[in-house]
Amino acid sequence: MTDTPTTGRRFVLAARPDGLPKESDFRLEEVAIGAPGPGQILMRNHYVSLDPAIRGWLDDRPSYLPPVALGDAVRASTVGTVIVSGVGRFKPGDWVMGLNAIEEYSLVTPNAYMHPIDVSQVPSPTLYLSAMGAVGLTAWFGVSEVMQPQAGQTLLVSGAAGAVGSCVGQLAKLRGARVVGIAGGADKCRKLIDHFGFDAAIDYRGKDVEALSADIAVACPEGVDLVYENVGGICLDATLLNINHYARIILCGLISEYNGEPYGARNIWQLIVKTATMRGYLVSEFVDRFPEGSKAIAALIAEGKLRFDEHVEKGIDNAYPAFMRLFDGSNRGKMILDLS
């Protein structure tokens, strides 16, 4: 057991971003670390998950979580070890995952998002932020509980080369669905087919709604039964022109609209024409079942039935450039910051 630290660095929100976040919207600061009181733990964050959802938490507007306050460390999921504990179920040295912040040390009161983890059962603790963490669980429960694809159906995934989208496609394939992905660039589209086993891939870059809709029609000649939407904007609008009767659409993310004026869904009238349904989805609906989902995903990985790529950047000094990779598409898998 190491000595209790007295200071630690954290990645702080300095200003509300206007559009694409700038480096000046954040700052690194070193702060004193207090001692945990009853019901609290002090943990060392070894790895931090960088996700598009973080961008939404930086705006001062209604959301499913309160906005990050100016001057606070930016909220993020982390994996780390307990240093000091005032909670019986967490012991010093235990590995835990939770919703904390981009900071070297977190002093927290454990909530429903915090779980002990067994890192001896995985090749790397980072898996609890990718395949077996919120990202993989978002795909797992979205497919198995909400979407429930069946053999013979066609599922279209946007942001398909991303951490959630690539996992969604593989899980739907295991249930017998035909899976088509939308991604940015020829390399990512090729990877969807050759690495993740998608049936077809569509490159959205440089296309308007009409051109993208035409490509979807070619890739999905029988129409689209199920949509797992991560991008929004023209991707969703083009998809709506290709849905079948009684199609079901899950809105998991709208990353194309996070840094600018909302585009909206201009072809939403197709929901009426095709008597289709669209619903929002948050993995927090299933927070009490996270351990169950992680176990199921671990079994699929062990059986060689699920692939999951990670892109790890080192050091809290790289928090900003690593975060921005999510918005320029340069990450090569689940974006993780290594603070160890």
Side-chain angles (χ1 to χ4, degrees), residues 18 50 55 71 88 109 113 117 131-132 159 177 218 222 228 230 263 272:
D18 181 12
L50 299 179
R55 176 61 187 86
T109 300
Y113 293 97
I117 57 176
M132 295 164 63
V218 171
E222 311 253 333
Y228 200 106
N230 293 304
Y263 172 92
I272 301 172

Side-chain angles (χ1 to χ4, degrees), residues 30-45:
E30 187 159 354
V31 297
I33 299 171
Q40 291 186 312
I41 68 170
L42 175 64
M43 64 178 288
R44 171 71 162 98
N45 294 312

Side-chain angles (χ1 to χ4, degrees), residues 13 32 43 64 71 86 96 101 122 124 129 164 177 183 185 188 202 210 221 238 250 299 303:
L13 180 65
M43 64 178 288
Y64 56 92
V96 294
V122 294
S124 169
L129 292 178
V164 173
K188 288 185 177 181
I202 302 165
E210 289 72 23
I250 284 182
E303 295 168 9

Side-chain angles (χ1 to χ4, degrees), residues 8 24 32 52 73-74 82 91 93 100 198 216 255 267 269-270 276 280 295 314:
S24 59
V74 175
V82 177
K91 307 296 183 186
N100 297 307
F198 280 54
I216 293 172
I255 191 172
N267 289 318
W269 60 277
Q270 283 291 328
K295 184 178 179 180
K314 291 185 177 292

Side-chain angles (χ1 to χ4, degrees), residues 112-158:
Y113 293 97
M114 183 163 282
H115 300 281
I117 57 176
D118 185 356
V119 299
S120 69
Q121 302 301 309
V122 294
S124 169
T126 57
L127 277 173
Y128 283 99
L129 292 178
S130 58
M132 295 164 63
V135 170
L137 294 170
T138 295
W140 173 261
F141 288 112
V143 172
S144 65
E145 299 294 328
V146 181
M147 186 155 276
Q148 298 183 348
Q150 299 177 10
Q153 291 183 316
T154 295
L155 183 148
L156 182 65
V157 189
S158 64

Side-chain angles (χ1 to χ4, degrees), residues 111-278:
N111 55 28
Y113 293 97
M114 183 163 282
H115 300 281
I117 57 176
D118 185 356
V119 299
S120 69
Q121 302 301 309
V122 294
S124 169
T126 57
L127 277 173
Y128 283 99
L129 292 178
S130 58
M132 295 164 63
V135 170
L137 294 170
T138 295
W140 173 261
F141 288 112
V143 172
S144 65
E145 299 294 328
V146 181
M147 186 155 276
Q148 298 183 348
Q150 299 177 10
Q153 291 183 316
T154 295
L155 183 148
L156 182 65
V157 189
S158 64
V164 173
S166 59
C167 191
V168 165
Q170 293 176 83
L171 293 174
K173 283 284 291 180
L174 290 173
R175 296 173 72 101
R178 182 173 184 273
V179 177
V180 178
I182 300 177
D187 289 345
K188 288 185 177 181
C189 287
R190 197 159 37 244
K191 186 175 183 180
L192 286 179
I193 296 171
D194 297 341
H195 185 62
F196 293 120
F198 280 54
D199 294 289
I202 302 165
D203 187 354
Y204 72 83
R205 288 190 175 172
K207 295 171 184 172
D208 58 15
V209 171
E210 289 72 23
L212 184 55
S213 175
D215 284 353
I216 293 172
V218 171
C220 307
E222 311 253 333
V224 177
D225 302 299
L226 304 166
V227 179
Y228 200 106
E229 186 59 53
N230 293 304
V231 175
I234 67 167
C235 286
L236 177 57
D237 239 14
T239 296
L240 287 169
L241 294 173
N242 288 276
I243 57 174
N244 288 331
H245 280 89
Y246 312 114
R248 291 185 291 118
I249 301 166
I250 284 182
L251 292 183
C252 182
L254 300 169
I255 191 172
S256 71
E257 307 189 20
Y258 290 168
N259 293 306
E261 287 297 316
Y263 172 92
R266 302 172 187 179
N267 289 318
I268 200 168
W269 60 277
Q270 283 291 328
L271 296 177
I272 301 172
V273 174
K274 298 297 176 62
T275 55
T277 56
M278 182 186 296

Side-chain angles (χ1 to χ4, degrees), residues 97-113:
M97 62 183 291
L99 185 60
N100 297 307
I102 305 175
E103 56 190 3
E104 292 174 328
Y105 300 92
S106 290
L107 181 62
V108 296
T109 300
N111 55 28
Y113 293 97

